[in-house]
Amino acid sequence: MSSVFNANLLAGQHAVITGAGSGINKRIAERFAIQGACISIVGRNAGKCEVAAAEIRALGGTAQGVAADVRDADTLADAFHQASDAFGPIDICIAGAAGNFVAEAATMSTNGFRTVIDIDLIGTFNTFRAALPLLREKRANLLAVSAVQSALPTATQAHVCAAKAGIDMLVRTLSIEWAARGVRCNAIAPGPVADTEGMKRLAPSGEASWRRLLSGIPMRRAAECDEIADLALFLCSGAASYINGTVIAIDGGQSNLGSQQFGDMLLDSLRET
Ligand code: HXC
């Protein structure tokens, strides 16, 4: 777990992170723990949350797992109260839980479309609303995990593009409504990230498809989870104290090229199966 930061930047803070049982959000949780934060890992799979929390404790950090589905606002609010009872007011809340599958809009069911909107967009709303009454006064941070698909239309990802675009506007709106409470609200928008559940679901299996995907990224590689975690750390730290209502892309420059290669590759892989 290397980091460009090593300064106990979050000493004594409580960070609640949804979807942190694996992938990007898990790495963010580990990174924040190294920086001195107590971590509450929220996810629908209780076992996965507890394992991730135990791994942080094994590294010498402080962490707990709390089970809840972000789609269920009442259960989520209970989970946040439980987290806060144990670790105190919430300094940082990260809405990371997300869902995805590859499907053409022409054949996707309404329920399939709604499921991703429910997890990603409504889940982010539920997460921030559950956190609001429990936030540390005058200096709390909310961070949503969006994706470059919020601004880059991508074939087979209509549900995800719509959900992530909604997240960006939610974050920008909350940054206005909640600023007077001392709350900063931002989002990160990653492109492809190596070794994640998302890439397992979306990544091409063959070398040629992978090359095709990378040809749409100026830096010709996917991000590492550590790189995403460092951006999250920056935005939730005092170093970003005047950044509010911003969506920061972390995509190796993909946004400047568009996502036609990625979308075409997904479309072809779907049609081949
Ligand atoms: C078409 C599908 C489908 C598929 C599910 N559905 N998979 N439709 N093609 N491959 C439809 C189902 O048929 C159903 O509709 C509806 O979606 C709900 O499916 P369930 O399996 O009942 O839902 P659930 O168990 O809640 O699972 C949610 C899920 C699943 C999103 C479908 O994939 C999941 O749990 N994912 C969580 C982890 C994950 O996806 N992580 C990656 C995030 S990546 P019907 O009509 O049949 O009832 C990410 C990166 C974004 O966010 C950027 C990427 C470019």
Side-chain angles (χ1 to χ4, degrees):
M1 261 187 272
S2 64
S3 171
V4 294
F5 297 109
N6 189 19
N8 223 15
L9 288 172
L10 305 178
Q13 298 197 31
H14 177 198
V16 180
I17 308 174
T18 68
S22 61
I24 293 174
N25 304 308
K26 183 175 183 216
R27 192 63 55 87
I28 292 173
E30 292 163 352
R31 177 69 90 247
F32 282 29
I34 289 172
Q35 294 295 333
C38 302
I39 310 294
S40 294
I41 291 176
V42 179
R44 55 182 166 150
N45 183 328
K48 240 167 122 178
C49 294
E50 192 35 55
V51 168
E55 284 176 17
I56 289 174
R57 291 196 296 271
L59 291 172
T62 304
Q64 61 180 343
V66 190
D69 189 324
V70 295
R71 289 172 283 192
D72 181 344
D74 291 340
T75 312
L76 194 65
D78 288 347
F80 274 53
H81 274 283
Q82 199 184 316
S84 187
D85 285 347
F87 287 167
I90 298 169
D91 298 279
I92 296 166
C93 173
I94 301 183
N100 197 353
F101 52 82
V102 178
E104 289 188 63
T107 51
M108 189 189 311
S109 70
T110 300
N111 193 41
F113 188 87
R114 182 189 297 118
T115 297
V116 170
I117 298 289
D118 273 348
I119 299 172
D120 290 29
L121 177 55
I122 298 178
T124 298
F125 176 78
N126 289 342
T127 297
F128 291 163
R129 279 285 298 271
L132 188 64
L134 303 168
L135 291 178
R136 175 92 58 193
E137 276 185 35
K138 295 291 172 205
R139 64 140 217 247
N141 276 296
L142 305 179
L143 185 72
V145 180
S146 182
V148 285
Q149 273 62 39
S150 66
L152 295 182
T154 305
T156 77
Q157 295 288 288
H159 46 342
V160 175
C161 292
K164 298 295 192 185
I167 287 174
D168 291 2
M169 281 308 285
L170 176 65
V171 159
R172 293 172 65 195
T173 306
L174 296 185
S175 75
I176 296 169
E177 285 196 23
W178 294 353
R181 298 168 183 254
V183 176
R184 291 194 291 116
C185 188
N186 293 292
I188 56 175
V193 184
D195 299 325
T196 58
E197 178 68 24
M199 282 313 277
K200 256 182 243 149
R201 286 165 189 258
L202 303 174
S205 46
E207 181 71 19
S209 305
W210 186 247
R211 265 203 311 278
R212 199 169 157 199
L213 164 63
L214 296 185
S215 71
I217 302 173
M219 289 180 71
R220 301 285 187 262
R221 67 172 177 86
E224 301 292 330
C225 284
D226 280 338
E227 293 172 314
I228 309 299
D230 280 337
L231 175 59
L233 177 59
F234 165 67
L235 283 171
C236 293
S237 76
S241 55
Y242 202 55
I243 299 181
N244 185 36
T246 298
V247 181
I248 298 188
I250 173 162
D251 64 354
Q254 185 187 19
S255 302
N256 293 312
L257 286 181
S259 61
Q260 190 179 344
Q261 287 93 336
F262 189 32
D264 284 351
M265 182 276 294
L266 290 171
L267 210 48
D268 288 348
S269 67
L270 193 63
R271 286 171 180 167
E272 279 159 17
T273 54

